[in-house]
Amino acid sequence: MAPTQRAYRAACPNCGAAVEFASAASASAVCSYCRSTLVRDGDALRRIGVSAELFDDFSPLQLGAGGRRQGIAFTLVGRLQYGTAGGTWNEWHALFDNGRSAWLSEDNGAYVMAFDAPLPADAPQLDTLRAGARTLADGRAWDVASVVLARLIAAEGELPRPPRLQGQFTVVDLRNSAGEVATLDDSDPKAIAWSVGRSVALAELALQGLKDASEKTLAARGVTCPSCGAALEVKLATTQSVTCGQCNAVVDVSGGVGADLAHYQQNNAGAAGAEPQLALGRSGTLALGGAALPWEVVGYQERCTIPQPGDDETEYWREYLLYNRTEGFAFLVDSNEGWSWVKPITGVPQLRGDHALCNGVDFRKRWDYAAQVTWVQGEFYWRVRRDERAQVTDYMGSGAQAGARLSRERSGDEVTWSAGWTLDASAVADAFGIAPAARAALQRDAAPLSSGSGMRKAFWIFVVIVVILVLMSECSGDGCSDIKKTFGAASNEYRQCEARRGAGSIGGIATGGGSFGGYSSGGGGHK
């Protein structure tokens, strides 16, 4: 289809530079020379303010890049850069050859393409919505994924409407079981904005004209750790937080180069946590729900359950943040029951009591618990907070789908879902080239417990294991040696076992399931 828009050019009323519009329907633009925010006024331009400079976040996208969606070509002609208390994100104005506009927005390390639409007559009031609640809009049921206060940091290029240059506004993200993402916001006090879209991968958009590389290094720009002064190496375009390799401080780099870098020291920095068994920077080829692709380990975090009244165990597990340039991010989870992988999903499952239906798979709820981050290393696409907490609900498949995993996390004003599958330790070892002598440390008890009889069987197996360990401890004098060999002397599992052994009881064995890929993104949502 031939383009229906016509090009329009006028002089900036502030500096005289040429300002071009690819579409006659566009209402606003930002002068690339003097940053003046301009609105169309007949055949002239009127200046309404000045946009701040965009900070260099090293996004692989840029103005002029083009691609295709459902067979129709589009070009990125504008960008809005937003910020919240939890981080920053970009929304790129995509102009299609048929004259239609869309927004390509960042979403939990991936992307969503959404189209503006008239506000539905049954749209809810923004001040009535809370994360985790269910609401109706446009005749459909939606789950509220997040409610945040945002502000416009800066703008560039051609825009369908004038940007709001001052003040905060509310952004609400909604998700449904059809995989759709909807957004409500009151950035225009006169009219609530409504858009609906779906998750997309950059690879499927066949984008051309991207920046030369999606990975950059900020060290050359003089970014240093605000705690110890060491150079910080930030490799990924989407990184919001990074840990210092020298002092283990967690540094917030979401404000961009030149901004004040907030940071904090990790509470257990003296013990240095347990070193990851898959080293940061290591790459492995894995099929995570699709074709086998190379995945690089870019982040690592240890997490634990928060004991509730009556609990006498704290469950620990580890999560590796994996990155692929075209697929985005995934998590490789190492719990006491084995290995699994998960990816954030855009939609929400259909919940019926203790069951969740997602992509045709029936999941049964298994665990419901509070979780806390205890240690992080590497880079993360969200702003890592001290002692970050979340409420987690884990589900698992049954029968032929027993290896399927589903997890819901609520952290602050955001709810996220992730889904994946179990992995054999040997598959992890093969993918990442683990030496034969080190492979035993990757083995876990990965047997699924998919029914009441399975739970009872697992319970008696657990009793037998405890008895054997007690007998072994009486003979060897060290009931924690196997745990030390598996997880290391600095691990939380070994320290907990030693503490219990010192108190006169065998420890380090937990019956909880751990999170099947749960995480707290802190920002997330339609970003």
Side-chain angles (χ1 to χ4, degrees), residues 138-295:
D138 201 20
R140 290 170 285 176
W142 302 82
D143 282 9
V144 181
S146 65
V147 181
V148 298
L149 284 177
R151 69 188 186 285
L152 179 63
I153 297 174
E156 67 173 339
E158 181 177 341
L159 303 167
R161 54 184 176 268
R164 178 175 174 174
L165 298 175
Q166 295 180 341
Q168 290 185 317
F169 56 93
T170 302
V171 180
V172 178
D173 278 350
L174 308 175
R175 317 236 166 171
N176 66 22
S177 58
E180 293 178 308
V181 180
T183 301
L184 288 162
D185 76 68
D186 60 358
S187 56
D188 182 353
K190 298 178 182 178
I192 302 297
W194 167 261
S195 63
V196 180
R198 289 182 177 274
S199 178
V200 294
L202 292 186
E204 72 182 79
L205 296 178
L207 286 165
Q208 302 291 325
L210 298 175
K211 290 183 180 178
D212 291 340
S214 64
E215 298 184 2
K216 301 287 183 179
T217 297
L218 303 188
R221 293 179 174 242
V223 177
T224 58
C225 174
S227 177
C228 70
L232 294 177
E233 185 179 5
V234 183
K235 298 179 180 179
L236 299 181
T238 50
T239 293
Q240 301 279 311
S241 297
V242 63
T243 55
C244 175
Q246 179 166 303
C247 70
N248 294 313
V250 181
V251 184
D252 175 9
V253 295
S254 63
V257 179
D260 292 333
L261 301 181
H263 71 285
Y264 69 85
Q265 292 289 346
Q266 300 192 69
N267 292 336
N268 54 343
E275 286 299 312
Q277 293 172 293
L278 306 178
L280 295 178
R282 198 163 195 163
S283 292
T285 300
L286 289 166
L288 306 184
L293 296 170
W295 293 89

Side-chain angles (χ1 to χ4, degrees), residues 459-513:
F459 171 76
W460 288 111
I461 292 174
F462 167 72
V463 171
V464 172
I465 291 174
V466 170
V467 172
I468 292 173
L469 287 174
V470 170
L471 293 175
M472 290 175 61
S473 68
E474 291 177 351
C475 296
S476 66
D478 184 3
C480 301
S481 59
D482 287 341
I483 295 174
K484 180 179 180 180
K485 291 178 182 177
T486 300
F487 297 104
S491 68
N492 288 309
E493 285 88 349
Y494 180 67
R495 291 199 295 268
Q496 179 175 260
C497 183
E498 283 289 281
R500 287 188 170 276
R501 183 169 174 268
S505 63
I506 189 71
I509 306 295
T511 59

